[in-house]
Amino acid sequence: MRVLIVDDSRFLREYLRQQLQRMGVCCEEAHNGEEALAALSSQEAFDLMLLDVNMPVMNGLECVKALRKARLGPQMKVMMVTTEADHSFIATALDNGADEFLMKPFTPESLREKMLLLGVIAA
């Protein structure tokens, strides 16, 4: 399994990488939505993208819209990792191609539960 971690916070990228590697998951990283789209265009397919919402250059909502419109990674699941709890924002993100949300702060257990829910890892 391959996961693309997209977040402008180096700390959060490293934390997510550590948690995923403990599950035996291969990870790549991008600092913003623009870098994520470039990675999707030039590399092997990813099974899951963990996508921050608030980032410079291209935010998470812009990124998920662009990747679904361009049909990059059509089978890939997108989990927004965010502090955004506004229901209208969540509905907009889901309408534009996000598959799930993981609210910050989160635990390793909640990350694993969301991945199970999406069907990208087995129980």
Side-chain angles (χ1 to χ4, degrees):
M1 181 168 128
R2 290 177 37 108
V3 174
L4 180 59
I5 302 167
V6 186
D7 200 299
D8 59 322
S9 166
R10 183 173 52 98
F11 172 81
L12 192 59
R13 288 192 316 271
E14 289 176 8
Y15 177 76
L16 284 166
R17 178 183 285 275
Q18 288 175 354
Q19 298 309 313
L20 292 166
Q21 286 177 334
R22 287 184 181 138
M23 292 184 236
V25 174
C26 296
C27 304
E28 297 294 326
E29 297 179 15
H31 301 100
N32 58 57
E34 193 172 89
E35 286 184 15
L37 294 177
L40 290 169
S41 299
S42 65
Q43 297 184 19
E44 295 177 35
F46 291 94
D47 302 292
L48 174 65
M49 178 190 288
L50 298 176
L51 182 60
D52 185 27
V53 173
N54 297 310
M55 298 179 290
V57 183
M58 178 184 277
N59 69 40
L61 186 56
E62 293 167 335
C63 180
V64 75
K65 285 180 186 180
L67 79 91
R68 294 305 192 207
K69 183 177 181 182
R71 299 177 191 244
L72 295 171
Q75 304 301 318
M76 179 182 63
K77 301 292 185 183
V78 176
M79 186 185 319
M80 307 296 280
V81 182
T82 182
T83 58
E84 295 286 337
D86 179 54
H87 293 292
S88 64
F89 174 81
I90 292 170
T92 299
L94 292 171
D95 288 345
N96 283 283
D99 297 294
E100 188 57 73
F101 276 79
L102 180 63
M103 301 305 288
K104 295 177 187 176
F106 57 87
T107 63
E109 294 78 21
S110 60
L111 172 62
R112 182 170 168 65
E113 286 173 13
K114 293 286 186 170
M115 292 173 71
L116 284 166
L117 181 69
L118 287 173
V120 294
I121 60 171

